[in-house]
Amino acid sequence: MKKAIVFGAGGFIGSHLVRRLKAEGYWVRGVDLKQPAFSATAADEFVVGDLRDRALVDKVIDRGIDELYQLAADMGGAGYLFSGDNDAAVMHNSAQINLHTVELALERGVGKVFFSSSACIYPKYNQLNPDDPKCAEDSAYPADPDSEYGWEKLFAERLYLAFHKNHGLNIRLARFHNVFGPEGPWQGGKEKAPAALCRKVAEGKDQIEIWGDGLQTRSFLYIDDCLDGVRALMHSTFIGPVNIGSEEMISINDYAGMIADIAGKSLKINNIPGPQGVRGRNSDNRLALEKIGWNPKMTLREGTERLYNWIVAEIAKT
């Protein structure tokens, strides 16, 4: 039986990943500050602890681990990342986790280490046109991410690549693009656009508020497709970095309209000032298809229907 560790196993993607690995027959240890918020962990062993603490990382990475998935980070939606109030914490906390991870994964001889980077590493200057953003993997330099979160992710990519080059650490790097689905944050300030919009539509009577003019564009990847991409990368010989995202781009106003249609509601969109990030972002999956044979399968509408119905059920519990 293969053994895996998932850092960030209490979070949205991490908790889903633990279930996927268990379904594939792995023994799994999860590590995070907290247990998953919406369902019991599927991990064989779950360690509640702070991965910024080197002693904890030293404790949880033992010898004989086949795969380590490093998804832990200080992050949130636009309201958290672009306010400017959390920049020092975002950079310091995530960098500490990654520095401990590479050092101890190397020391303990972990078979393969996966690091979840982000589309936030891509330069602002390539994402000014909402209709034609440039997010191919080789467009990352000259670097100019739009947030400190993006800068830390780019630093971490270089950190893992340097440990691979100098010490032979076997790594895989993926750049996630707006992953969404059930059992993720949907209120409280750290939720991302799909969950926030679903909540606003579900609770809306006559209108909903959208930050910015709503013409900014994004693509959103359903969680199951994300996990398929992660597993395809881990089974391949390609190190990365590689985009794991959807190419189904949509404006935020149009996406809100789609959710309202799913809900069977007619709601006015009230565009208000607020953080919105880059003007346009869309995954470029040419390299993923070439190197790991992966492309997402689920449409944005189908995935959003699943998320909306889950959020409606969560609201009913409150």
Side-chain angles (χ1 to χ4, degrees), residues 74 84-93 148:
D74 190 344
D85 298 331
N86 306 300
D87 291 349
V90 164
M91 295 199 79
H92 184 266
N93 293 339
E148 301 311 306

Side-chain angles (χ1 to χ4, degrees), residues 185-187 191-203 208-209 211 259 307 311:
W186 59 275
Q187 61 180 341
E191 68 275 16
K192 294 187 177 181
L197 291 173
C198 284
R199 184 196 72 244
K200 289 179 180 181
V201 168
E203 296 177 339
I208 59 170
E209 293 182 342
W211 288 342
I259 299 169
L307 174 62
I311 287 179

